[in-house]
Amino acid sequence: QVQLVESGGGLVQAGGSLRLSCATSVNILSINAMEWHRQAPGKQRELVAEIYSGGITRVADSVEGRFTISRDNAKNTVYLQMNSLKPEDTAVYYCRAHDYYDYWGQGTQVTVSS
């Protein structure tokens, strides 16, 4: 079983930055993909960014140029650096470990005020 602990959410003004962290209970390089998803009120959960064990990263078009996913292998932690935040980025952000299994974190609230 993989445990994921997220942190770093909060309230920020538009144009500000936040960094989310997701610590895993296993060797992060043993997980095929680590992902960040978000779910805004009344909307479906959407994939924001992903990083594969080999290091390839992808981000959604809606956050391209503003969000960056990275990881610290020694800390078994994946990060989501969010810059130039917009009110439409307001959502609960979830970390996901995806391999032949799926594990989700508990979610962390990000609120961007205008």
Side-chain angles (χ1 to χ4, degrees), residues 2-98:
V2 179
Q3 294 181 326
L4 305 173
V5 179
E6 298 149 349
S7 59
L11 173 64
V12 64
Q13 289 188 332
S17 298
L18 283 174
R19 189 178 78 158
L20 305 183
S21 300
C22 174
T24 70
S25 61
V26 300
N27 181 350
I28 199 168
L29 293 179
S30 71
I31 302 171
N32 183 52
M34 292 296 300
E35 304 170 352
W36 285 100
H37 295 246
R38 67 184 181 186
Q39 187 165 20
K43 295 188 177 181
Q44 288 189 331
R45 192 171 295 189
E46 63 173 345
L47 175 64
V48 176
E50 56 192 342
I51 183 166
Y52 291 88
S53 56
I56 293 174
T57 63
R58 291 192 179 94
V59 296
D61 291 343
S62 58
V63 303
E64 179 73 44
R66 300 188 298 121
F67 290 12
T68 303
I69 188 170
S70 63
R71 68 179 180 222
D72 185 327
N73 298 336
K75 295 182 178 180
N76 291 318
T77 298
V78 63
Y79 303 99
L80 185 67
Q81 178 66 46
M82 305 185 294
N83 299 327
S84 302
L85 283 161
K86 304 176 181 180
E88 51 263 44
D89 295 318
T90 294
V92 178
Y93 284 71
Y94 297 90
C95 177
R96 178 194 187 203
H98 178 61

